[in-house]
Each structure stands twice: as C-alpha cells, then as structure tokens.
C-alpha cells in the first residue's frame, strides 16, 4: 500500500522533505528556550544580574522568532505537499477508472468509487500531513527533550521511561482494536452514499409513486449502521485522552515530589527543575501527538487500502503490443461466440453464436427481455471481451485492434441515453469536438432533432440540465443519435434508442440512414417490428441463442417468435385504429394536445346523449 501511494507524491517530493527539515530546526530552537530560561532564573535573577537577564532574554526572543518562522514554513510546506499528494491520488484514481472495462466497474459500486475519491483520499491526505508534521515533530521532540532531561537529572528522568512504556502498550492495544471498525465504517459510507445517489437520481419516480417514507427509512437504516460503527470506533478513541491526561498528571506529581526532595538536599537548582517541567510537558505532549497520529494512521490505513484496491485493479481489456490502428470497413463476424458476465462457461448469457454482417448492411435485432440483444452488440466495440470464440470487424479480431481506434469507428447509442450538463452544441460535439455548426445541423436533421431544437429560444445553445432532465425522452434519444452520427462511424448501433419517438419520426430516421449513410453498417435493436422490417436481414434472439435470421417476409413464414410478435403488434395497431379519431390523433405531440382531444371527445359524447 505504502509503495503504491508513495508514487503519487510526485512533483511535491521537495516540499514533502522540506517540511520535516523545518520542523527539526523548530524543535532544536524550542529545546534551547528552556535552557535559556534556566540561565535567567539561576544565574540572572538568582544572582541579581539584570544585564545578564536582558542579554539572555534578547537571545531567547530571537530563538523564539526563529522557532516560529520554522514552524510556519513547515506548516506551509506540509500543506502544499499534502494537498498536491491528494490531487495526484484523485487524478490517478480517476484516470485509472477511465481505463476500466465494464466488468472492472462492476466490481465497485458508483457510490463506493465516489467515497474513495472523496472521503478516503481526504483521510489519507490528513494522515500524510500529520506524518510530515506531527509524526516528525513528536519523535524528534521526544528524543531531544528526553536527552535534555537526562542531562539535567538522569535519576528523575526515569519517570518518563515508565510513562513511555505504559503509553506504548495502550496505543498498540487501541490500534489493533479500532482498525476493523474503521474499515466497516467506510463500507457503510458506501451504502449511505448509494442510498442518497439512488434517491436523487430517481427522485421523479420516488415522488410519482409517493415513496418518500420508504426512501427515508432506507436512508435512516444506512445512517444508523454507519452510526453504530462510528460509535464503536469513537469509544476506543476517546479512551486515549483520559489515559494521556492521567499519565501527564502522574508524571508532573512524581517529578514535583521527587524534584522538591532533590532541591532540598542541594543536588538540583530551582531553575533546573523549572526547565525539567518544561521538558516534561514537551515529552508528554509528544506522546499525545504520537497517540493521535497512531489513531489517524489506523483510519488512514483503511482508507489507503480502499484507494489501492482501485489503483491496483487491472483492466480486463488491454491493447496488444502492436495493435491494428485502422478499421477498413464495417463488416462484422461472430465465430462461435460464447459470453458470460461472470466469465463462467457454465452460466452463459450468449451461447455459440455465429453471425455474418456485410459492410453497409442494415440489420435489425428483435427478441424478448433478457434475450441478450444488448449483450450481443456490446461485444462489437469491445465493451466486454468474449468468454470464448471471436468477434471480428473487417476480418480482424476486435482484441487485435487498438481499443480507441475501434471505438472511434463504432458509434453506439445505448439503451439508456445519457446527456451531460452543457449546451446542445457541447453535447453533440462529443461525437466530433471539431465539428462545425453546419455539420451539427446536418446530423440533427438526419436524426429529426433539428425540428424541436429550432423551437427552443436559444436553439443549439440551449442549456441541457444534468442527465437531460429538461428534454423529453424522445428528444433525448434523437440528440444521442445525432451525436453518434457526428462520429461518421463505419458501424452504427442503435440499442432500442428510438423507443420513445413516434412511428413517423422513427421511419424518417431510418429513411435518412438509408439515403445519407449507405456505406455505414447499421444495427438496430428494437421492440417494434416496424422499426426493423425494412432491414436487409433481421436477427431473432431468444434466451441467448439466435432463433432465426432472414428478411421480414422470410421470418413471417419460418419463425414462430417473430410471427407472434408481429401479429400481436398488428392487432394492437388495429385496436388503436378502432378508437375515436379525436382520442387517437395528436397524443404523441404532448400532453396538452391529448387533453384537447379528450375534451373534444367528451363534448361530442355529451351531444350524442342529448
């Protein structure tokens, strides 16, 4: 763990070294001050020599300022180094996460990754700063103060050794007990963050189903679990302070009693006893610092292990040494492909799949829920690796391509459409950051998105809220299709990405694909037969197997599943046509028009009754 984290100190090594150096000088100057005080008391005030008092007093003042300066510089250097270290760790974790495959990301919850990037890194940052300052200062002060104390009176200083051994046992015991509680506590932080994230992401659903009480109880349960582990850890930690105070006061009482006897017999002066009291406080404060650092390190150890779990995670998708750097065309071949999300050959989600798609073909994929439609297409841009067999693009195994090159030539509009906070232009330029405004308009016309964008007051500069919450589902889908088209891909995959648009718009989008990008291989996953019936070939999936391949007319004759889906949808369409015209028209365009149609229908009914 330490070796992994040490690498992220990076360019802040000099400041990380400078902080302890300044602290060493600060401690040296602090150790001189009690000696000067002893000189003032014994040889200045005791002898009535005011000039000596002033002279030594000025020296003590200069030493104090020197100590203050070194302390301030140490604090500044430590702050810079620890903040820089935390920045590097966060950047390292974030960059490493970007390299993860989906299977790697599945190992960590989203909330867990957020906690590691925030709370855990903060804990490690604080521990790093404390190690540079307190963990450097405390041992040096302890050693220096013990040395000075033994110089004054070795017999009396044996009290410190007893205190040191006692506190050492206490700290070791507490560290061994508190560590597991901290680990469990951070795991509960993940659960708490997951509850908050899920609630905020789905807040519209929560309110629509009036489930606020349920979500509140779920959050309370996670919060109480975190509370219980935190209390157990705190109970052990708070016992440190009374133990330290007991040790401090016991040492002061012992030194006062024994020191008074030694002064009476003349073996030690009053000023030396005063200096010894100062060194006593230095020693005991150092011991308290060490105890605090020990507890903090125990907490940081748990956080550090969680951080290193992410940093040491090896991506399951890696490039070969000499990857293929260009994709010639959009031809796709599946050769005896088996796939399991767990990598278990006995629990396959896609089984012994063989498939050939020619470059420029339009292929429809249809099947029930859980039939592995999305799984099939996710293997093409290598979002996952096959368990066995091979997927080839342009005759080359996708594992032989440079991942970035492959994915740049495969545009995929996922089942869950995602827009990011920013303008429409900024979201579209995810497809091509250098695209001109004219190119943006062109692809939006292809995706039938231009018609609603032009109705916005700011048009293409309209701000999209986080997750696209201020646009409808159909508008979001069309923007995502336009974004994918902007990549000018050799393969375009639409994973049920026109489900929220009406059938007319769906037909317009498919028509634009045929006319504008004829050389692009187009794979369309859909629930509606009308969305795929014009395809060059249609693939019917059932429970991870290909149940049939053919054109619309061929499958109607040869495939029972396809025929059943088609007939059920045709019957539904006929039932819709039998509804009163006022109720059926305009309902795809918005709630207000549906309401108007319903109102008109209602009025017509009243007239008939009259």
């Amino acid at each position: 763990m330490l070796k992994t984290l040490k690498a992220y100190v990076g360019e802040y090594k000099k400041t990380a070294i400078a902080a302890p150096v300044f602290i060493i000088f600060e401690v040296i100057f602090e150790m001189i001050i009690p000696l000067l005080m002893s000189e003032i008391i014994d040889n200045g005030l005791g002898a009535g020599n005011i000039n000596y008092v002033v002279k030594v007093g000025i020296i003590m003042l200069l030493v104090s300022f020197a100590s203050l300066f070194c302390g301030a510089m140490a604090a500044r250097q430590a702050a810079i180094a620890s903040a820089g270290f935390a920045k590097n760790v966060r950047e390292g974790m974030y960059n490493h996460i970007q390299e993860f495959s989906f299977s790697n990301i599945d190992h960590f919850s989203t909330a867990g990754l957020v906690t590691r990037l925030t709370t855990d890194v903060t804990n490690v940052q604080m521990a790093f700063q404390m190690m540079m300052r307190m963990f450097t200062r405390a041992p040096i002060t302890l050693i220096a103060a013990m040395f000075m104390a033994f110089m004054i009176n070795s017999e009396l200083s044996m009290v410190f050794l007893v205190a040191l051994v006692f506190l050492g046992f206490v700290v070791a015991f507490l560290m061994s007990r508190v560590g597991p509680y901290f680990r469990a506590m951070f795991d509960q932080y993940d659960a708490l963050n997951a509850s908050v994230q899920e609630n905020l992401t789905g807040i519209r659903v929560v309110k629509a189903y009036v489930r606020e009480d349920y979500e509140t109880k779920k959050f309370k349960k996670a919060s109480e679990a975190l509370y219980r582990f935190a209390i157990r850890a705190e109970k052990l930690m708070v016992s440190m302070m009374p133990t330290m105070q007991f040790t401090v006061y016991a040492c002061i009482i012992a030194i006062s009693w024994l020191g008074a006897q030694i002064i009476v017999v003349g073996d030690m002066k009053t000023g030396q006893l005063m200096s010894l009291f100062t060194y006593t406080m230095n020693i005991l404060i150092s011991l308290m610092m060490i105890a605090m650092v020990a507890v903090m390190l125990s907490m940081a150890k748990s956080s550090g292990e969680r951080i290193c779990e992410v940093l040491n995670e090896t991506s399951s998708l890696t490039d070969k040494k000499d990857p293929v750097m260009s994709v010639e065309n959009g031809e796709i071949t599946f050769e005896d492909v088996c796939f399991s999300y767990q990598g278990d050959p006995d629990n396959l989600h896609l089984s012994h799949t063989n498939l050939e798609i020619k470059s420029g073909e339009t292929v429809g994929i249809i099947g029930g829920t859980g039939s592995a439609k999305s799984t099939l297409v996710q293997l093409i841009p290598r979002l996952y690796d096959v368990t066995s067999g091979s997927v080839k693009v342009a005759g080359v195994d996708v594992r032989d391509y440079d991942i970035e090159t492959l994915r740049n030539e495969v545009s995929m509009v996922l089942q869950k459409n995602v827009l990011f906070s920013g303008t429409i232009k900024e979201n579209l330029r995810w497809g091509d950051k250098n695209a001109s405004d004219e190119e943006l308009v062109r692809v939006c016309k292809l995706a039938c998105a231009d018609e609603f964008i032009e109705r916005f007051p700011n048009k293409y500069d309209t701000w999209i809220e986080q997750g696209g919450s201020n646009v409808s589902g159909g508008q979001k889908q069309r923007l995502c299709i336009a974004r994918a088209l902007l990549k000018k891909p050799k393969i375009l995959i639409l994973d049920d990405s026109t489900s929220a648009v009406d059938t007319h718009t769906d037909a317009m989008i498919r028509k634009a694909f045929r006319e504008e990008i004829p050389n692009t291989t187009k794979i369309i996953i859909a629930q509606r037969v009308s969305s795929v019936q014009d395809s060059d070939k249609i693939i019917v999936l059932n429970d991870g197997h290909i149940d049939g391949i053919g054109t619309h007319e061929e499958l109607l004759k040869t495939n029972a599943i396809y025929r059943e889906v088609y007939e059920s949808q045709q019957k539904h369409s006929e039932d819709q046509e039998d509804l009163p015209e006022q109720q059926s028209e305009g309902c795809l365009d918005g709630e207000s028009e549906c309401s108007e149609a319903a109102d008109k229908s209602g009025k017509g009914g009243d007239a008939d009754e009259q």
Side-chain angles (χ1 to χ4, degrees):
M1 181 186 73
L2 291 177
K3 184 179 179 181
T4 300
L5 294 177
K6 180 183 175 183
Y8 290 91
V9 177
E11 66 273 26
Y12 299 97
K13 285 181 181 178
K14 290 183 179 179
T15 51
I17 294 171
V21 170
F22 277 114
I23 286 173
I24 290 171
F25 283 105
E26 180 191 11
V27 171
I28 291 172
F29 289 132
E30 282 187 359
M31 293 302 103
I32 294 173
I33 291 173
L35 288 178
L36 296 175
M37 188 183 299
S38 175
E39 287 295 315
I40 290 174
I41 293 172
D42 292 335
N43 301 325
L45 296 175
N49 189 345
I50 301 300
N51 290 332
Y52 187 78
V53 171
V54 172
K55 179 181 176 181
V56 176
I58 292 172
I59 295 172
M60 189 167 69
L61 188 64
L62 293 174
V63 170
S64 298
F65 276 119
S67 177
L68 178 64
F69 172 78
C70 291
M73 289 300 296
R76 183 175 183 276
Q77 298 299 314
I80 292 172
S82 61
F85 167 71
K87 173 184 72 72
N88 288 345
V89 171
R90 284 195 180 97
E91 288 180 356
M93 289 177 68
Y94 189 83
N95 293 337
H96 194 56
I97 290 170
Q98 302 309 304
E99 298 174 359
F100 282 0
S101 66
F102 282 9
S103 58
N104 292 119
I105 294 173
D106 291 343
H107 292 171
F108 306 96
S109 67
T110 303
L113 290 173
V114 171
T115 305
R116 284 168 166 84
L117 281 162
T118 52
T119 304
D120 288 326
V121 173
T122 300
N123 289 336
V124 173
Q125 176 186 353
M126 290 175 62
F128 182 56
Q129 189 176 54
M130 290 178 74
M131 285 183 67
M132 283 187 292
R133 298 186 64 190
M134 299 177 90
F135 207 63
T136 302
R137 178 188 177 85
I140 294 174
T141 301
L142 180 65
I143 293 169
M146 288 282 286
F147 176 77
M148 299 302 291
F150 271 90
M151 282 185 60
I152 294 172
N153 192 297
S154 58
E155 293 179 1
L156 198 57
S157 299
M158 293 299 293
V159 173
F160 302 131
L161 291 178
V162 176
L164 190 63
V165 172
F166 171 71
L167 287 176
F169 279 115
V170 172
V171 170
F173 173 76
L174 290 177
M175 284 188 68
S176 64
R177 293 294 300 276
V178 80
Y181 288 130
F182 281 132
R183 179 72 192 199
M185 189 171 74
F186 291 132
D187 290 340
Q188 290 303 318
Y189 267 121
D190 291 348
L192 187 71
N193 287 342
S195 177
V196 174
Q197 181 193 20
E198 190 175 49
N199 179 268
L200 296 177
T201 302
I203 191 67
R204 288 173 174 78
V205 178
V206 172
K207 291 188 177 296
Y209 283 85
V210 197
R211 297 287 282 176
E212 290 90 344
D213 290 342
Y214 172 79
E215 288 295 315
T216 300
K217 289 177 182 177
K218 188 168 71 172
F219 177 82
K220 184 178 180 182
K221 183 178 179 181
S223 181
E224 286 178 347
L226 175 60
Y227 166 79
R228 287 194 298 271
F229 284 109
I231 285 295
R232 291 173 187 174
E234 290 294 333
K235 282 181 179 178
L236 289 171
M237 290 174 61
V238 297
S239 63
M240 180 69 70
M241 189 55 66
T243 304
M244 296 299 302
Q245 289 180 337
F246 169 78
T247 306
V248 168
Y249 293 134
C251 286
I252 290 174
I253 291 171
I255 290 173
S256 299
W257 183 62
L258 295 173
Q261 292 182 344
I262 294 172
I263 288 174
V264 169
V265 298
D267 289 343
M268 189 169 65
K269 297 180 181 179
T270 304
Q272 289 178 320
L273 182 60
M274 294 296 294
S275 297
L276 200 59
F277 276 130
T278 303
Y279 291 129
T280 300
M281 293 306 299
N282 285 333
I283 291 169
L284 296 175
I285 289 173
S286 297
L287 291 173
M288 291 179 68
M289 285 184 181
I290 291 173
M292 288 173 61
V293 172
V295 172
M296 186 64 208
L297 287 178
S298 180
M299 182 186 297
K301 180 176 179 290
S302 299
S303 292
E305 288 172 349
R306 285 161 51 85
I307 290 170
C308 289
E309 285 176 3
V310 176
L311 293 173
N312 294 331
E313 178 80 4
T314 303
S315 176
S316 60
L317 300 180
T318 56
D319 287 329
K320 290 192 173 182
K321 289 185 178 179
D322 297 310
V324 178
M325 299 302 293
S326 65
V327 180
E328 295 300 324
N329 55 58
E331 181 186 347
I332 304 167
T333 307
F334 281 69
E335 295 181 353
D336 196 32
V337 170
C338 294
F339 174 76
S340 168
Y341 285 103
Q342 294 79 29
D344 182 4
D346 296 325
N347 182 26
L348 296 175
H349 298 85
L350 199 64
S351 180
H352 301 288
T353 301
N354 291 280
L355 177 64
E356 289 187 10
I357 301 173
K358 296 177 181 178
S359 181
E361 274 192 325
T362 299
V363 177
I365 300 178
I366 200 164
T369 303
S371 59
K373 301 186 298 295
S374 297
T375 301
L376 179 78
V377 296
Q378 285 177 354
L379 299 176
I380 298 170
R382 206 185 169 199
L383 298 180
Y384 292 94
D385 266 343
V386 297
T387 303
S388 64
S390 66
V391 177
K392 294 180 179 179
V393 173
V396 178
D397 194 313
V398 292
R399 290 168 291 192
D400 294 334
Y401 280 111
D402 172 70
I403 293 177
E404 186 174 338
T405 299
L406 174 65
R407 291 178 182 171
N408 276 332
E409 296 295 348
V410 180
S411 270
M412 190 168 183
V413 184
L414 296 169
Q415 204 169 18
K416 183 179 179 183
N417 297 282
V418 177
L419 294 175
F420 298 88
S421 54
T423 64
I424 289 177
K425 282 184 180 179
E426 290 170 346
N427 271 278
L428 291 174
R429 285 194 172 115
W430 274 63
D432 181 0
K433 62 182 179 182
N434 299 316
S436 65
D437 290 350
E438 291 75 17
E439 288 179 293
L440 299 183
V441 173
R442 188 183 72 82
V443 295
C444 285
K445 285 181 177 178
L446 291 176
C448 297
D450 184 65
E451 59 184 64
F452 70 81
I453 295 174
E454 289 296 331
R455 292 200 297 267
F456 292 144
N458 296 323
K459 296 183 173 27
Y460 284 81
D461 290 316
T462 299
W463 183 265
I464 300 295
E465 299 294 342
Q466 184 179 10
S469 59
N470 60 330
V471 291
S472 70
Q475 291 171 343
K476 190 188 298 185
Q477 285 187 338
R478 283 179 274 177
L479 287 172
C480 289
I481 292 171
R483 180 174 64 188
L485 289 172
L486 201 59
K487 287 179 71 175
K488 302 179 182 67
K490 289 186 171 64
I491 300 171
L492 175 64
I493 300 171
L494 303 181
D495 186 357
D496 203 17
S497 52
T498 58
S499 58
V501 301
D502 58 87
T503 53
H504 173 70
T505 303
D506 187 13
M508 292 291 290
I509 292 172
R510 286 184 281 113
K511 181 175 180 291
F513 287 170
R514 285 195 303 271
E515 295 176 355
E516 298 291 335
I517 50 173
N519 297 322
T520 297
T521 303
K522 297 165 284 291
I523 301 176
I524 303 171
I525 296 177
Q527 299 293 337
R528 294 186 297 223
V529 171
S530 61
S531 296
V532 299
Q533 66 181 19
D534 296 331
S535 303
D536 297 315
K537 68 175 67 168
I538 300 169
I539 301 166
V540 180
L541 283 176
N542 181 37
D543 196 24
H545 296 82
I546 293 179
D547 192 75
I549 300 178
T551 62
H552 172 68
E553 291 76 15
E554 290 171 347
L555 290 173
L556 282 177
K557 297 176 182 178
T558 61
N559 191 270
I561 294 175
Y562 187 81
R563 186 169 54 251
E564 182 182 347
V565 172
Y566 175 76
E567 290 174 352
S568 66
Q569 291 182 5
Q570 281 294 101
K571 185 178 184 302
H572 177 73
S573 298
E574 291 170 0
D575 291 341
Q576 289 295 106
E577 289 174 1
D578 291 339
L579 291 174
E581 183 180 355
Q582 291 94 335
Q583 290 185 353
S584 62
E585 65 180 3
C587 291
L588 290 169
D589 296 328
E591 292 181 2
S592 60
E593 295 182 20
C594 288
S595 299
E596 289 176 13
D599 290 341
K600 290 176 183 177
S601 178
K603 290 176 183 177
D606 293 340
D608 291 338
E609 287 177 4
Q610 291 174 356

